[in-house]
Amino acid sequence: MKNVLIVSGHNDLNNSLANTIILENLQNSLPAAEFDFLDKLYPDYEFDVKKEQEKLVKADIIVLQFPIFWYSVPSLMKKWFEDIFIHGFSHGSTGKALAGKTLIASFTTGSPAEAYKHGGMQNYTLDEFLPPLIQLAAISGMNWGGYVHTGGVSYASRNDEAAQKEIKEKSFQHAQRLMEKLTALF
Ligand SMILES: Cc1cc2nc3c(=O)[nH]c(=O)nc-3n(C[C@H](O)[C@H](O)[C@H](O)COP(=O)(O)O)c2cc1C
């Protein structure tokens, strides 16, 4: 069994449906994994750099769990990258702490998957938004483990009971798909 670290980058899980359900399911399925709830631990965006680096070093597989905010990771997770993945730790001639680990992205979008295509509402494919994460893995010597995506979990439909039910079901399925990906790596 490999050590798994799940990093939740949602800015505010109190205002989340999809990511909350995905994370709850993962906690049930992976009791031995470490869960890093950035919004709970660091509401002021001031990270304990040493602690965060230690969590990364201990892990064999790192899962980034987040909602897409403006075609990228949320600001909290972006600042976590900036503060934790520093020269001499993750990259640079002496920065080898993450080499050989696997990085997986697990994310949700408001727009449905079909919107992410050339000529579609979002104009680009999902893969075209991912190079910053793929290259973050590469420059840190990590293997890119791919991604799990669920679309159509928009805030717009939150007050509709049937829509909420659908988001819950999709989020459950998302956690199952991520578990399949992880199990293949164990
Ligand atoms: C500030 C902000 C920016 C967003 N940007 C995008 C976006 O670029 N593309 C998209 O498909 N959805 C976007 N969304 C929708 C979120 O991705 C969606 O609400 C989220 O994945 C739902 O997860 P949650 O229930 O855990 O919050 C955005 C939402 C917010 C609040």
Side-chain angles (χ1 to χ4, degrees):
M1 190 78 171
K2 303 246 171 79
N3 289 328
V4 180
L5 173 66
I6 315 263
V7 183
S8 167
H10 200 299
N11 286 349
D12 181 11
L13 281 172
N14 293 326
N15 281 315
S16 152
L17 185 58
N19 281 259
T20 298
I21 291 172
I22 292 166
L23 286 158
E24 280 172 5
N25 276 284
L26 293 175
Q27 280 183 306
N28 289 335
S29 302
L30 292 168
E34 177 147 24
F35 285 79
D36 201 11
F37 291 98
L38 297 184
D39 67 325
K40 305 275 182 270
L41 289 170
Y42 308 108
D44 57 1
Y45 284 47
E46 293 302 326
F47 304 106
D48 184 328
V49 174
K50 196 163 166 276
K51 264 197 191 154
E52 291 305 306
Q53 289 181 338
E54 280 168 7
K55 289 178 202 172
L56 287 166
V57 166
K58 233 174 75 188
D60 302 302
I61 303 170
I62 298 155
V63 177
L64 304 175
Q65 176 62 51
F66 59 94
I68 291 274
F69 282 177
W70 292 118
Y71 310 106
S72 183
V73 297
S75 54
L76 180 61
M77 184 167 261
K78 179 67 167 39
K79 185 165 187 287
W80 182 78
F81 290 161
E82 291 169 15
D83 290 3
I84 313 303
F85 288 66
I86 49 181
H87 191 269
F89 173 71
S90 51
H91 60 285
S93 57
T94 57
K96 308 280 181 223
L98 304 179
K101 300 177 188 299
T102 297
L103 186 71
I104 294 174
S106 170
F107 56 90
T108 58
T109 58
S111 288
E114 313 84 76
Y116 283 92
K117 65 176 182 198
H118 295 171
M121 189 179 87
Q122 299 293 7
N123 279 313
Y124 298 92
T125 66
L126 280 172
D127 290 272
E128 287 169 323
F129 288 106
L130 296 179
L133 293 180
I134 297 170
Q135 178 56 16
L136 176 102
I139 203 160
S140 307
M142 291 191 278
N143 304 308
W144 175 243
Y147 67 87
V148 177
H149 165 246
T150 295
V153 291
S154 161
Y155 282 95
S157 44
R158 289 297 152 84
N159 299 325
D160 176 336
E161 216 173 285
Q164 274 189 20
K165 197 166 165 247
E166 198 188 324
I167 291 176
K168 284 183 187 165
E169 180 55 31
K170 279 184 180 180
S171 305
F172 174 75
Q173 299 293 343
H174 181 115
Q176 300 286 106
R177 284 187 284 130
L178 179 56
M179 279 307 299
E180 279 165 29
K181 197 178 232 322
L182 288 170
T183 309
L185 293 170
F186 289 159

